[in-house]
Amino acid sequence: MKIIDVKAYGLHHPVENPFKWRKGLPGSGEIREQGILRIITDEGIEGVAVTQRAGMTVDYVTRCFKQLLIGKNPLLKEKIWHEIWEMDRLEEFQIMFMGLVDMALWDITAKKAGMPLYHLLGGNSDRVQAYASTVTYDTTEQFLTIADYCIDRGYKAIKLHAWGDARKDAKLCQNLRKHVGNDIKLMYDGSAGFNLHDAIYLGKALEEADYYWYEEPMRESSIWNYKKLCDELSIPVLAAETSDGCHYNAADFIVNGACDMIRTGTLLKGGITGSMRIAHLADSFNMKAEIHGGDQANVHLACGISNCSFFEVLVFGTDPVDFGYPVEPDGFITAPQEPGIGYIFDWNEIEKKAVYKV
């Protein structure tokens, strides 16, 4: 099998229900970017991968990936992963692009094998439990209303993205616990908005409210700060979502006691290859590897491993809608069953609508 062509498309999609994050972070805006990579082989099998950057996708494919891939055997994923890792030394790829090619190559591999990707990754289950991940609302009352909606939809767990004020957020988190009772698992994501002092203060409030995990309260450039945080708290700290370095960096978080759970996911952790390395590394320490939200690729990843508890589904808007996968009445998501990852595109339409392409 040989790669004979590589295409890339950058698209802009209007956002019908823009949403926002904490103070200091941009929200969704009026346009959602989408980058699509398409790898074509001489056997007629195509591999597809999707990311959140339009122009960057076409730029990296044009300058770096196309020349690297043409003529290669797409089943030699390990070799190609390390060649891209070498390129990163000078390119310093934006974090979403370390694994973009890898995802498309795994799509080809699973199609060649005639099985859904999660079977190829180990096949722990064909379903994963979803949790509702909120955007940032203006008032406590809005958060409580959204929580009621999520519980009515079948979710058994809810994660807050709140305002980025340690004292206000602590009060909100405790009010939410009182509102939903003790049977719903609650999580909190700080979106890297705090210093160590405020992160400890908020973490202790989450402990009092019996939250299931405390995610990324600080920037992840300082492992020392995360080690101090973990030493101060009993609530599990979930970290290394946006840190560079894939599994190499995740290993430093784990062995230094700078997290109690580790983040992994295809978009930010080196595709399927990098994500699986992190999941297996965590498993060797009897640690959870929680999957970041996303599309079909991350659903397959969550169903392929045994040490993931939940799959993140973003819930947003005044009239809240689920972003991504349909959640079933019992709060679970079923992995796609067709061979490969399960992306379906009309390439003629994509060719017409692409803002950028190669």
Side-chain angles (χ1 to χ4, degrees):
M1 181 181 265
K2 186 168 68 175
I3 297 170
I4 59 172
D5 200 3
V6 180
K7 297 179 180 289
Y9 309 94
L11 294 98
H12 289 169
H13 302 287
V15 174
E16 293 182 6
N17 297 306
F19 58 82
K20 63 182 180 180
W21 298 120
R22 67 163 174 83
K23 182 180 179 181
L25 294 183
S28 64
E30 303 295 326
I31 296 292
R32 176 174 66 88
E33 291 189 33
Q34 182 183 42
I36 304 172
L37 171 65
R38 182 184 179 195
I39 299 177
I40 302 168
T41 73
D42 60 352
E43 293 187 12
I45 298 175
E46 298 188 3
V48 179
V50 178
T51 188
Q52 296 175 359
R53 300 289 183 268
M56 265 187 202
T57 301
V58 173
D59 173 63
Y60 281 137
V61 170
T62 302
R63 292 189 304 103
C64 304
F65 298 149
K66 186 164 187 170
Q67 182 178 359
L68 171 72
L69 293 171
I70 295 290
K72 293 280 178 68
N73 182 346
L75 303 181
L76 299 181
K77 299 178 293 298
E78 182 75 12
K79 182 177 184 347
I80 293 170
W81 195 97
H82 283 283
E83 288 175 343
I84 290 174
W85 177 258
E86 280 290 291
M87 294 174 72
D88 179 67
R89 170 63 181 82
L90 294 178
E91 278 287 340
E92 286 288 339
F93 290 123
Q94 199 272 354
I95 194 170
M96 295 181 187
F97 290 89
M98 267 303 301
L100 186 68
V101 168
D102 185 74
M103 283 188 277
L105 298 181
W106 275 98
D107 190 33
I108 291 171
T109 302
K111 288 173 180 173
K112 174 76 171 176
M115 60 178 66
L117 178 60
Y118 75 96
H119 283 179
L120 207 60
L121 301 182
N124 181 66
S125 175
D126 62 353
R127 305 173 81 223
V128 60
Q129 187 173 4
Y131 71 83
S133 183
T134 77
V135 296
T136 303
Y137 296 97
D138 293 325
T139 67
T140 297
E141 289 69 28
Q142 287 175 312
F143 276 105
L144 300 185
T145 298
I146 294 302
D148 290 339
Y149 158 80
C150 293
I151 293 168
D152 289 343
R153 281 292 316 275
Y155 290 99
K156 304 297 190 298
I158 299 169
K159 187 177 80 175
L160 295 183
H161 291 91
W163 302 302
D165 180 308
R167 274 127 187 96
K168 285 177 62 180
D169 287 8
K171 187 175 181 182
L172 168 65
C173 290
Q174 293 188 335
N175 284 336
L176 180 61
R177 169 56 74 202
K178 292 174 185 174
H179 183 75
V180 302
N182 296 325
D183 293 336
I184 300 296
K185 283 188 170 65
L186 296 177
M187 304 87 142
Y188 174 88
D189 188 338
S191 301
F194 303 104
N195 59 29
L196 178 60
H197 176 78
D198 284 342
I200 291 172
Y201 173 90
L202 179 52
K204 290 188 179 299
L206 297 178
E207 287 176 352
E208 291 175 6
D210 191 28
Y211 270 56
Y212 187 67
W213 76 51
Y214 185 22
E215 182 176 347
E216 198 191 6
M218 303 176 290
R219 290 296 296 268
E220 293 171 331
S221 51
S222 173
I223 289 177
W224 182 88
N225 271 301
Y226 270 91
K227 171 68 165 63
K228 292 285 287 181
L229 182 68
C230 290
D231 288 346
E232 289 284 339
L233 301 176
S234 61
I235 182 174
V237 173
L238 175 60
E241 176 179 322
T242 58
S243 58
D244 286 313
C246 195
H247 50 285
Y248 302 115
N249 173 264
D252 284 340
F253 269 89
I254 291 172
V255 300
N256 284 288
C259 66
D260 303 290
M261 302 172 168
I262 197 83
R263 259 292 187 218
T264 191
T266 60
L267 188 64
L268 302 178
K269 290 299 175 184
I272 297 295
T273 296
S275 297
M276 289 292 286
R277 283 200 166 96
I278 292 172
H280 291 159
L281 171 68
D283 193 43
S284 69
F285 284 87
N286 198 27
M287 179 183 288
K288 292 287 188 182
E290 296 295 345
I291 308 299
H292 190 264
D295 61 11
Q296 293 97 315
N298 272 336
V299 174
H300 281 288
L301 178 63
C303 290
I305 64 176
S306 62
N307 56 330
C308 169
S309 304
F310 294 102
F311 184 79
E312 181 174 21
V313 176
L314 191 65
V315 177
F316 66 95
T318 309
D319 227 356
V321 295
D322 297 333
F323 179 75
Y325 254 79
V327 177
E328 293 153 26
D330 62 354
F332 279 74
I333 294 171
T334 299
Q337 297 302 302
E338 62 268 25
I341 293 176
Y343 296 122
I344 299 173
F345 290 109
D346 181 330
W347 295 118
N348 290 328
E349 283 299 306
I350 296 294
E351 288 277 358
K352 292 176 187 175
K353 293 179 179 179
V355 180
Y356 316 101
K357 61 184 175 181
V358 61

